[in-house]
Structure formats: C-alpha cells, structure tokens
Amino acid sequence: MAEELARPPTHSRLPSRRRIEKIVPSSKTQASGGPAIIIAELKTYIGFGDEDVARLTGFAPHFERRRLEFSQRFYEFILRNDVVAQVIEGGGYSLLGLRTKWETWAAELFAGTYDASYSKRRLTIGSVHMHIGVDERYTVAAFHVVREFLIELTCEVYDHDTSQCLQMISSVNRILDLDLSLISHAYDLELEAETVAVQSRKRRSIEELLRVLLNAPSLLVLSIDGDGRIIHYNRGCEVLFGAFRYSVIGQNYVETLVMPADQERAAKEVAGLFERKVSKANSRRLGPQRLRARDGGECIVTWYPTAVPTEDSETMESLWVGHDTTEEQRLQGQLIHQEKMAAVGLLAAGVAHEIGNPLASISSVVQTVLRKNDDEYVQGKLELVRTHIDRIANIVHRMVDFARPPRYEWRPCSINELVGNAAHILEYDKRANRVAISLDLADAIPETVGMEDQLTQVFLNIILNALDAMEGNPEDRPPRIAIETRLEDGIKQRPFILFRCQDNGPGISPQETRRIFEPFFTTKEVGRGTGLGLSVSFRIIDEHGGRISVEPSPGGGACFEIRIPVSKSPPEEAK
C-alpha cells in the first residue's frame, strides 16, 4: 500500500508548460495582476480548496516533529548529484544556512496562508535557483524527494485510517504541485527576461552598427519616397556631394543632386524603379549617374536600391546604397585610351607614309627654286613655304610619337630660345593676326638638359590653345597673350625654370580644369580639336621631371604654368 501511495495520483501530475502559459500571466501582464492573480488561477486549476487548507494546517505539528530529520535526508540526497553539489560549493553557500531556508520553506507548506505573499516568495525561490545555476529539472527531482518524504509521514500518521490518509496525500500533492508550478513559472519569467535582455543587447548592437555605417564618410546611403524626394541622407553623402543633410531632406533627388545634362535620364530611372514590383526593385541597379560633387565638381555614382515596406501599403520607399565609381570610370577611360592609341599608331604610320613622300617632293622643289631665284620677295615667300612644310612634317611625326614615343636625344637646351622659336612660328598663323603677344623672357636663364623638339611642341600647344580660346572675344576685349619665363628656387635649393602663358579668353571652369589633361578631352567644337595636345604636353613635362598646371588668370581667362627643373642630366626615369 505504501508503494502505491508513494506514486502521485494522476490528477496531481504537473500541467504542461504550454498549459501553464495559458493560465499564468506573462511578464508583460504580471504588473497588472501580479502574484495574487497567479496563485488564484493556479489554485483553481489544481483544485486547491479550503478542505486542503484545513488538512495541511492540521498536519503541521506532525511535520514539525520530523522537520530536522527530513532536512538532513533531503540534503544528503541532493548533494549526491555532482552538478548540484558543485553549484553549492562553488557558490560559497553555507549548508547550514541552506538547510534553515529549506526548513522555513517546508514549514510554510502547512502554515495555511496561501496568498499573494506566499506566491511572491515561491517566485523568488525559483528566480534564485535560476540565478545560481540550478537547472529546473533538478528542482523537479528535488520536489519528488520531498513528495516521498511527506507521503511516508502521512502513511505513518494515518496508518489506521486509509480514507483520511488518501485525502491527506491528495492535499499534499496539490500544495506541492502549486509550489512547483510557481517555482517553474519563475524559471519561465527569468528565461523570458534573459531572452528579452539578449534581444535588447542585440538590437542595441545592431542599431549601433547601423549608426556607424550610416554615418561612415566612405559609405553612401540615402532613401527616397515614391515622389522622388530625399527622406534620408547620410554623412558619406554630405562628404561627397558637399550638401548638408538639412538642406536636401525633402528635396527632389534628381533636381538636387543629378547634373543637368543627365537629369532627364535619371528621372526616368527613378520613376521606373517605383513602377516595378517590390521583389524586382531589389535587384535593380541605377547608374552610373553623374552627380554634383563638392566645390562645383562632379562625380560618378552607381546606386543599388532596396525596396522598404511602409505601414501604408499604397506607398513605398527605396533605400539606396551607393558606390563612388569616379576613379573606376577614370581607369576604364585610360584602358579605352590605350586601345585608341594602338589604333592611332597604326593610322599614324600609314598617314606618315602617305604624306611623307609628297612633302619630300615639295621640299625638294622649293629648295631648287631658292637656289635658282635671286628675287628677295620670292625667296622670302619660299622660305615661308618651307617653314610650313617642316611644320607639317613635325605634326605627322608627333602623331606617330604620341602612340609610339621614340627615344629622343637629351641635350642642353635654352628654354628662352625654344619659347622664342614657338612664338615666331605662330606669327604666320592667321589666328595670331589680331592678337597682341608679349614676351617677357628673363635674362640669365640657365640651360637645362631636355628634348628640344618635344619641349617646343609643348609651348606651341599651350599658345595655340590660348589663340583658339580667344577667337570669340568681344570687340571691347581685344585678345592678348602674355608669355614670360622666370627662374625659381625649388626644393633643396634645386632651381626651376617657370614658363607662364596668360590669355584673356573666357577661362576654364573648375569641372574642365579637373579633366583638362585627360586624353581626348576637349572644350572645342567637334572637328576642331582631338583632345590630345594637352595630354601629350603633360606627358612630356612629366618625363622632364617637371609640372604643368592651369589656374584662372587674374585678369580673366586662363593661366598655364610649366616648371622644368634645371638639370645637367636627364631624369632617372628617362635614362
């Protein structure tokens, strides 16, 4: 009989956690009801009533006689488990103190007061077990031990009355089920709180990561609404575009950031993005787009948009992550330029062959007439013809040289003399007829080692560009060019020869200044320029160890400056 009574009746088995969650308020609703509601609902579910209270309070004296013995046996049992023993010993807990607390808890089982205060104390016990590292399954096992103790005591007390014994065991099972439900609920609450804390930490971590990313100066992030207005604009956009966040929020993206020449195409791209379904909009790429950059420049950006759902299902926002491809586009242009140069080299070789023979024949005829004709006027004109024939031949050679730079002879040369020769050649150009060209060549400019023909070509290119730029000058602004040379001190007492050419034409915009030395970039009308002259000049000056730059002229127009180091030997790169 004792073995049968030791088995808890079917109705006293613990309800499943899912069932407990249904009858026990969660931590979100606990504040409104608290322990009072929890214990009331559990008592109703378990069937714990006044009869149970009466039986338990009447049983209190019997338990008090065996309380110390049960406490001793209980801790002998649980300390056999290595995990529990390690928790107690590792936490530095006093076994005597723990036994005292257990005895107090056990005595409350028969105190007869099962209210909100009782519920709160049981929830605290479960919370403490959770914090010190006692797994819930060990708590359940410990309750099984207590259950066996109390059933054993009940059988001893009511051995002569089976009916009363069964009723008492039923009440014991109900109070233990009530306690275990409360303690188990505390585990649930602690786990839920821990989960919420972990999720909160993760959320804060993600928010911090997003904050750092969205404010990274190297990352471009903006979002726009269905009307194309900017609703988010990060620090990276401020750095690249030069416009502060407060000045662009709410503004139309296309009108605010896109270069005028590309606005129509960009507007169609943005409109087309919102016409597509959300699933397809995620994979679309916008651009490359030419956008306004800081200081009046321009940049090239490729956007990768992602659809962002909103509370209003009829509207949609789009988050854009951008990539500044300005440098990539420049490198791609260089690759294309190299391919063009290969084609130019083949073309130049053919042109040189086809033009070279007729030029040689014309030059021979001119020299023959010069020897046989003594008329000074005719000889002057024939010399002019021969000069222009040599110029044509040089132009053909420069085309070939651009694609296949030959090894020129490095030798001492006078920069003043080369500049004077370039200016003298241009006297015969019709574009120079109405232009006032002034030469201010400093005395005592030392010679420097260089390639005379290439340096002469550079000076010709600079002056010819100035002549072309001033063709549209109004009558009240007569065109003029000021050319000068100076000797400057450089780094480590190394002198530089400065060549400066100023004109009073329309000048060069900041956007054009950034690209002026790129191959095939020209501001001239189609058919009037190839965009190779300044690119070639830049390369030649670089080979001489010098620098070439352009700035606005103080009196309007453009000012080109070339600095060539004074040297007695070619640069190391040219040897």
Side-chain angles (χ1 to χ4, degrees):
M1 177 179 175
E3 293 179 357
E4 294 178 355
L5 294 177
R7 289 196 297 268
T10 304
H11 75 274
S12 67
R13 290 178 183 173
L14 290 177
S16 67
R17 176 154 315 174
R18 180 172 298 178
R19 177 60 183 159
I20 291 177
E21 289 174 352
K22 290 182 179 179
I23 64 174
V24 178
S26 67
S27 60
K28 295 180 180 178
T29 61
Q30 188 180 189
S32 60
I37 290 181
I38 296 175
I39 193 168
E41 292 182 345
L42 279 173
K43 285 162 72 174
T44 300
Y45 176 76
I46 293 172
F48 187 87
D50 293 338
E51 293 180 355
D52 296 305
V53 175
R55 294 190 193 102
L56 292 170
T57 54
F59 195 75
H62 301 294
F63 173 75
E64 185 62 25
R65 289 196 304 270
R66 304 283 296 275
R67 177 170 56 86
L68 295 178
E69 176 192 343
F70 284 163
S71 173
Q72 179 70 25
R73 289 170 59 184
F74 176 78
Y75 274 95
E76 287 177 356
F77 172 81
I78 66 171
L79 288 176
R80 280 184 278 170
N81 184 281
D82 294 338
V83 175
V84 176
Q86 185 176 0
V87 169
I88 294 175
E89 294 172 2
Y93 301 103
S94 166
L95 188 57
L96 179 60
L98 290 176
R99 286 183 56 178
T100 302
K101 290 180 179 179
W102 182 91
E103 293 169 7
T104 301
W105 165 81
E108 288 180 348
L109 293 174
F110 306 97
T113 306
Y114 310 106
D115 54 9
S117 178
Y118 181 91
S119 174
K120 186 175 181 180
R121 289 194 296 273
R122 267 39 184 175
L123 291 172
T124 302
I125 291 173
S127 178
V128 170
H129 282 192
M130 180 75 174
H131 280 290
I132 67 176
V134 177
D135 193 274
E136 185 178 359
R137 58 189 175 181
Y138 295 117
T139 301
V140 173
F143 263 80
H144 179 68
V145 175
V146 174
R147 195 184 305 272
E148 288 183 343
F149 292 165
L150 294 179
I151 290 174
E152 177 186 330
L153 178 61
T154 301
C155 291
E156 291 178 2
V157 173
Y158 300 104
D159 186 48
H160 62 285
D161 190 341
T162 302
S163 175
Q164 194 174 3
C165 181
L166 289 173
Q167 291 176 355
M168 188 62 210
I169 289 175
S170 178
S171 296
V172 167
N173 280 326
R174 289 193 186 101
I175 190 62
L176 291 178
D177 288 348
L178 179 63
D179 262 45
L180 185 54
S181 296
L182 290 170
I183 293 175
S184 295
H185 184 58
Y187 273 89
D188 293 337
L189 294 178
E190 289 295 328
L191 287 173
E192 182 179 346
E194 184 177 334
T195 301
V196 170
V198 170
Q199 292 176 344
S200 178
R201 288 194 296 270
K202 288 182 178 179
R203 184 174 65 253
R204 289 195 299 269
S205 177
I206 292 173
E207 289 174 352
E208 178 64 17
L209 177 61
L210 288 176
R211 187 189 67 79
V212 172
L213 289 176
L214 292 178
N215 289 285
S218 59
L219 183 66
L220 306 177
V221 179
L222 60 79
S223 57
I224 65 172
D225 60 17
D227 296 324
R229 294 189 298 265
I230 300 173
I231 57 179
H232 180 80
Y233 182 89
N234 81 327
R235 174 60 179 162
C237 292
E238 288 184 335
V239 172
L240 182 61
F241 304 137
F244 290 107
R245 184 182 296 113
Y246 66 83
S247 66
V248 299
I249 297 297
Q251 301 298 316
N252 184 272
Y253 162 76
V254 174
E255 296 175 357
T256 305
L257 296 180
V258 181
M259 296 296 292
D262 286 4
Q263 287 186 357
E264 182 177 355
R265 178 177 62 85
K268 292 180 180 179
E269 288 182 341
V270 176
L273 175 67
F274 285 96
E275 289 173 359
R276 297 164 63 93
K277 294 182 179 179
V278 173
S279 60
K280 294 183 178 179
N282 288 335
S283 60
R284 180 149 183 182
R285 185 183 74 174
L286 295 182
Q289 294 181 346
R290 294 170 58 241
L291 307 180
R292 306 176 194 270
R294 63 187 310 123
D295 301 329
E298 74 174 54
C299 57
I300 301 174
V301 175
T302 299
W303 296 106
Y304 299 90
T306 300
V308 179
T310 60
E311 295 180 358
D312 183 0
S313 59
E314 296 182 358
T315 62
M316 187 176 78
E317 297 176 0
S318 185
L319 177 68
W320 296 4
V321 177
H323 175 49
D324 182 6
T325 59
T326 306
E327 183 65 15
E328 294 178 11
Q329 296 291 329
R330 186 186 69 81
L331 294 175
Q332 185 178 4
Q334 289 182 350
L335 292 176
I336 295 174
H337 164 63
Q338 292 176 358
E339 295 176 358
K340 289 182 178 180
M341 289 303 95
V344 169
L346 295 175
L347 177 63
V351 169
H353 177 73
E354 296 296 330
I355 296 179
N357 292 334
L359 283 179
S361 300
I362 296 172
S363 180
S364 298
V365 172
V366 169
Q367 293 180 28
T368 301
V369 175
L370 278 173
R371 287 195 301 269
K372 295 185 176 181
N373 193 306
D374 296 332
D375 190 318
E376 293 183 0
Y377 176 79
V378 173
Q379 286 192 345
K381 294 299 180 182
L382 289 175
E383 286 290 349
L384 179 60
V385 171
R386 188 171 68 175
T387 300
H388 282 288
I389 290 173
D390 293 340
R391 183 181 169 196
I392 294 173
N394 285 332
I395 291 174
V396 173
H397 289 310
R398 296 301 177 267
M399 273 184 61
V400 177
D401 294 345
F402 183 78
R404 297 195 306 260
R407 286 288 183 178
Y408 285 96
E409 180 183 357
W410 292 79
R411 59 185 179 185
C413 57
S414 169
I415 297 298
N416 279 355
E417 183 179 340
L418 299 181
V419 172
N421 291 340
H424 178 71
I425 292 174
L426 292 176
E427 289 179 1
Y428 302 103
D429 194 299
K430 65 178 182 179
R431 289 171 290 185
N433 290 340
R434 65 185 191 92
V435 178
I437 300 178
S438 64
L439 290 177
D440 182 12
L441 308 182
D443 297 331
I445 295 290
E447 288 187 340
T448 185
V449 171
M451 295 180 286
E452 291 184 348
D453 288 345
Q454 290 204 353
L455 290 175
T456 301
Q457 182 66 37
V458 171
F459 301 138
L460 282 173
N461 286 338
I462 299 297
I463 301 172
L464 283 172
N465 280 337
L467 292 175
D468 289 337
M470 296 184 298
E471 283 190 347
N473 276 24
E475 294 184 0
D476 59 344
R477 190 177 183 181
R480 65 177 185 274
I481 296 177
I483 301 172
E484 61 177 311
T485 58
R486 292 289 183 270
L487 188 65
E488 288 186 343
D489 290 333
I491 302 175
K492 297 181 179 179
Q493 305 300 319
R494 185 185 184 188
F496 279 81
I497 301 172
L498 169 66
F499 164 83
R500 180 183 290 123
C501 178
Q502 301 183 65
D503 63 64
N504 64 342
I508 305 174
S509 67
Q511 294 91 334
E512 294 169 344
T513 301
R514 291 184 176 88
R515 303 185 59 195
I516 197 70
F517 298 109
E518 293 182 8
F520 299 103
F521 176 80
T522 179
T523 58
K524 300 177 183 178
E525 298 176 2
V526 177
R528 297 203 57 190
T530 63
L532 297 176
L534 289 177
S535 177
V536 173
S537 300
F538 185 91
R539 191 194 67 201
I540 292 173
I541 297 301
D542 184 65
E543 289 177 351
H544 282 75
R547 302 189 304 273
I548 181 170
S549 60
V550 59
E551 299 289 343
S553 181
C559 176
F560 280 85
E561 291 186 349
I562 297 174
R563 288 174 172 81
I564 302 174
V566 176
S567 177
K568 296 182 179 180
S569 62
E572 290 296 327
E573 295 81 358
K575 291 182 180 180

